[in-house]
Structure formats: structure tokens, C-alpha cells
Amino acid sequence: MAVDTKPARGDGPPKAKVAVWNDPVARGIFFQLLLIVAIVWFGYFLFTNTVANLERQNIASGFGFLSSEAGFNIIQTPIEYTEASSYGTVFLIGLINTIIVAVIGCVLATIIGFIMGVARLSSNWLVSKLAAVYIEIFRNIPLLLQIFFWYFAVLRSLPDFRDSLTMFGESAFLNNRGLYIPRLIPEDGFGLVIAAFVIGIVATIFVSKWAKKRQEATGEQFPVFWTAVGLIIGLPIVVTLLSGNPFTWEFPTRSRFNLSGGITLIPELMSLVAALSIYTASFIAEIVRSGIESVSHGQTEAAGALGLRKGPTLRLVVIPQAMRVIIPPLTSQYLNLTKNSSLAAAIAYPDLVSIFAGTTLNQTGQAVEVLCMVLAVYLSISLIISTSMNWYNDKMALVER
């Protein structure tokens, strides 16, 4: 009688027992736990050592100082503030001013950078050379010097308030104290205008997605741009007219010794935004140029063979493909601009570094708490920018099948 000696499927030679210290998986887990314990211990050591040193030098610690009276004036306050306000309010004002500079700077730098990047590749010799000169000048001069130039050489050289430059029939004034523009005062029913604006933005998003699907299905284009203009701008205007203009304008007025009323854009803000935008735009222009050049020339030739003109070819064919190359370095430029806004302290613009890490720290002496808060703010803003741009980059990435 024959005996089947073939081992069953799945049966193999018995595995030899391996000692734990020779198991690579167990050894990896052990070293990771060891690293975590070392990091926690080092953090605890730093914390206890710092607290002991502060107590030894009779320096108060904690965040109770945030409720103490600040006692100093701030030249630009987006929220209500007096010298009797607390250091917590000072922190909030510095945070808002920093965000204002970062947002306006990123928007202006993107617009200028894209225009200059496209102009750099223009077939017009003069336009291309002018864009090249702009890029080479502004990206090779230190940012701090550019801030000083705009502040001391340009805006501080303007006439005083008695000889202010008037614009739009004395609706706005420009002098060495800043730019004075009308202020919008909302009244009853203004919420409807805001609601119409928000509805316009949401409707534009839906129309854009619908138009894209329609074009993919039928090949027909839909005028998304003009539809967006009508929804975002036209709809609020219509609601404004129907609701009887639910707002008024407060115009700046000139008195004997000063200008009052309206909104004042101080020279520190304008010079900082101008320097940051123009400096960063010179780098963005090169990023845009390299992104456009990364798109195969065959794409342009194919678009031309289909009858597309240069403008639609650039907008519909080249730029969407170039964005996959442009977005990652563009994120770095946004982060740089946000962090470079801390140079505002050089011209006394009341950002977070100037009034909180500067004046507040000097008055309270609580360096650890103040600097930790400022570091946490810049880290948070940078992480938000990175996360948002990474999400946008994923949306623009090629979908592989």
C-alpha cells in the first residue's frame, strides 16, 4: 500500500524560535518607544528647569499678565482699543494686523507675479525685457531695504496734510500721514446685501462645476466668467437697489489741523504691503515662467490646430497644466511672505512681533510666555497655508487610471 508523503498545502518547515532582541519588528518598536520616552523626558527637563530659573530670579510666570492693563497707544487698531485695554487685546490686534498684511500681500503678489511671469514669455521684445528687468531688480535687493525705500523715500516724502493730494473730487486724500478713503456705514437691511454676495459665490461654484461637466459631455463651453461677475457683483447691486441702499458713506473731511473720518491706511501698512508684494512677486514670476515652459510645446500646437487663439490656449490649455508645477513652490513663497511680515517691526507697523513680542515683552518681562505665543501663531498660520495649498495641489493633480 502506497503512503502519501507530500506535505499538505501551507505546511512548511517549522519556524525556529527567534529571541526578542533578534526580532527586527520587536526591536523597531522598542527603539521607537525609547525615542518617545527620551523626547518626553527632555521636554519635562526643559519645563522644570525653566520654571525653577524663573522662580530663582523672582520673575512671574503664567498667562495672568494678559488681563493686565497695557497702558500704551497703537497707531492702527482694527478693533476697539484704548490705553486701558489689556495685553490680551494687544495680542489680538497684533494677530489681526499680521493676518491683514499676509492676506493682502499674498493676493497682490500672486496677481503681479502671474502678470510678470506671462509677460516674461511674451513674443513682444520690450514687454519681455521689462518683465526681466523687474524680476532681476526686485529679487536681488534685500527685502528690508525695499521696506525702508517705500517707507522713507516714497511715502514719507509725500506732502503734509495741508497740501494733501486729493482724489475723486476730494473723496480721498493722500499725504505723509497715510491714505484717507471713505468708510462704508451699514444700516438696517445691509445683511441682505451680504447674503446676496455669499449666495453669488456659492452659486458661482455650482455653475462652474456644472459647466465643466457639460463641457466634458458635449464639448460646448459656458460663459462661466461673465456668469460669475453677474452673480457675485450684479446680484448684490440688484439687492442693494431693491432694498433702498441700506448703507451710507463716511467721507474723510479736512479740518484746520488734521483729516478726520473715513478709513486711514497708515504709511507703515502701505509700505510694508508694497515691499512684500513686489519682492515676492519677482520670485512668483519666475515660478510661473518655469511652470509654463514645462508644458510641452505640442500642447500649444495641438490647440492651434483646433483653432484656439493664443489667449484661450494659454488660459484653457497651458495654465491648467502648468499649475501642477507652479503650486508647490508657490506655497513656499506664501509661507515666506507671511514670515517676512515680521520685518514690520523695522518701521513700527503694529504687527504681532512689534507690539506683542516687542512692547509687551519689554513691559512685562515674561519672555517665555510671550515668545511661545508668537511662535505658536506663526506656526499655526504656516500650517494652515500649507494644508490649504496641499489640498489645492491634490485637486489639480492628474488623475491616473
Side-chain angles (χ1 to χ4, degrees), residues 354-368:
S354 176
I355 61 175
F356 196 68
T359 308
T360 300
L361 189 152
N362 290 331
Q363 289 189 356
T364 62
Q366 296 193 256
V368 176

Side-chain angles (χ1 to χ4, degrees), residues 6 30 69 89 103 120 138 153 160 222 234 281 294 315 324 336-337 343 350 358 384 388 392 396:
K6 185 178 180 181
F30 171 76
E69 182 178 316
T89 307
V103 172
R120 183 75 178 84
F138 287 103
D160 62 14
F222 187 81
S294 69
R315 181 166 49 87
R324 301 180 183 109
N336 288 338
L337 188 148
L343 292 174
I384 291 173
S388 303
Y392 183 57
M396 297 297 293

Side-chain angles (χ1 to χ4, degrees), residues 63-110:
F63 295 92
F65 73 97
L66 290 174
S67 59
S68 302
E69 182 178 316
F72 61 88
N73 191 25
I74 300 177
I75 58 175
Q76 177 174 298
T77 56
I79 60 175
E80 186 176 354
Y81 174 83
T82 63
E83 293 183 2
S85 299
S86 65
Y87 288 118
T89 307
V90 173
F91 171 77
L92 187 58
I93 290 173
L95 174 62
I96 295 174
N97 285 340
T98 298
I99 293 175
I100 288 174
V101 170
V103 172
I104 297 176
C106 288
V107 172
L108 292 180
T110 304

